[in-house]
Amino acid sequence: MTVIAVPFHLDEHLPGLELPLPPARTIAPDLPPGAPWERMATLYEEVAEAVAADVTAGRVPLVISGDCTTSLGVVAGLQRAGLRPALVWFDAHGDVQSPETSASGYIGGMPVRQLVGGADRTVAQRLGLADVPEQDVLLVDARDLDPPEEVFLAGSAIRRVRVDDVAGIAVGGPVYLHIDVDVIDPRDLPGLLFPTPDGPRLPAVAAAVRHVLAACEVAAIGLACTWKPGSGADRVLAGLAGELSAAI
């Protein structure tokens, strides 16, 4: 496994992002001026290249970043290496917003929608990202959904499951395992940017992740470290992150 750090929240460089594992490589280019998605397309091109090179060489990249949109580069890299990955996506949120549905306009809430072919297409077009079929997406937890997200998911083929029920779900083919750490109940993880109460506790999330690692052909892992500086969350998650790096 190769640990790749992408210390950004969207297009904002976070040189002090506290990581639960030391990276073998850090991707932090100077981004050109422009709109956020245009800048992020430049960043995720480097992510895609790094992931494709790792997978082609027989390694499993673990990409650690400050938000979930880095997944666009990871999935594009897997596709460039000849894979058509399914998604197992742990998150307290649905990440299926679009510019038309998002009340806040927060673009970090859109990557799953982008991966299945919707929302802003800037990054997808720049990276040559192919749509992931909705039936190949397993959304784990997603307990905090806005009404438009509820409507979208009700009409989509995306599967939803609770953390405690992951062990009963089959996912075939190569898998991109994505973990937004805010899936964990904030009682167990301090300083989250978007804490969502009444979620699964850390041991339950860790057990579900272990099941995915054991039962699926995991081709790449994304860890979204969505926490505030100085929170200590990196130390709390060091054990789980170490398991991720050792399991593949």
Side-chain angles (χ1 to χ4, degrees):
M1 173 172 282
T2 304
V3 179
I4 301 171
V6 187
F8 283 79
H9 180 259
L10 306 177
D11 64 338
E12 177 189 2
H13 186 204
L14 303 175
L17 180 63
E18 295 147 337
L19 304 176
L21 284 176
R25 176 178 179 180
T26 298
I27 296 176
D30 292 328
L31 301 183
W37 283 124
E38 294 170 348
R39 288 163 51 82
M40 291 154 69
T42 298
L43 174 62
Y44 299 155
E45 173 61 35
E46 291 204 20
V47 173
E49 289 180 357
V51 167
D54 258 19
V55 173
T56 300
R59 296 186 291 270
V60 177
L62 168 57
V63 181
I64 306 177
S65 66
D67 73 276
C68 294
T69 61
T70 311
S71 60
L72 302 175
V74 178
V75 174
L78 291 171
Q79 293 175 350
R80 291 180 187 186
L83 304 182
R84 290 295 177 264
L87 310 182
V88 178
W89 191 281
F90 285 73
D91 204 316
H93 309 93
D95 287 358
V96 292
Q97 295 280 14
S98 71
E100 295 75 29
T101 64
S102 175
S104 67
Y106 177 59
I107 62 178
M110 302 181 188
V112 173
R113 189 73 168 265
Q114 291 171 292
L115 287 166
V116 299
D120 189 284
R121 308 310 297 155
T122 303
V123 173
Q125 290 172 359
R126 284 273 297 274
L127 301 185
L129 180 64
D131 297 349
V132 176
E134 290 182 355
Q135 63 268 24
D136 291 343
V137 180
L138 181 66
L139 194 56
V140 183
D141 192 46
R143 62 190 180 271
D144 185 10
L145 298 173
D146 289 339
E149 293 183 292
E150 293 274 16
V151 171
F152 172 76
L153 289 171
S156 81
I158 293 173
R159 293 182 292 167
R160 296 175 61 186
V161 66
R162 298 185 313 161
V163 165
D164 290 343
D165 296 328
V166 167
I169 301 297
V171 180
V175 165
Y176 168 55
L177 170 59
H178 180 87
I179 306 163
D180 184 337
V181 299
D182 68 19
V183 70
I184 300 165
D185 190 286
R187 289 174 291 177
D188 288 349
L189 197 61
L192 290 167
L193 290 175
F194 306 106
T196 306
D198 302 321
R201 306 298 292 265
L202 177 55
V205 173
V209 168
R210 291 187 196 106
H211 170 78
V212 175
L213 291 171
C216 300
E217 180 191 343
V218 175
I221 302 171
L223 187 64
C225 299
T226 50
W227 53 59
K228 299 173 185 177
S231 68
D234 57 314
R235 296 189 296 275
V236 174
L237 283 185
L240 177 59
E243 284 190 43
L244 292 173
S245 67
I248 302 298

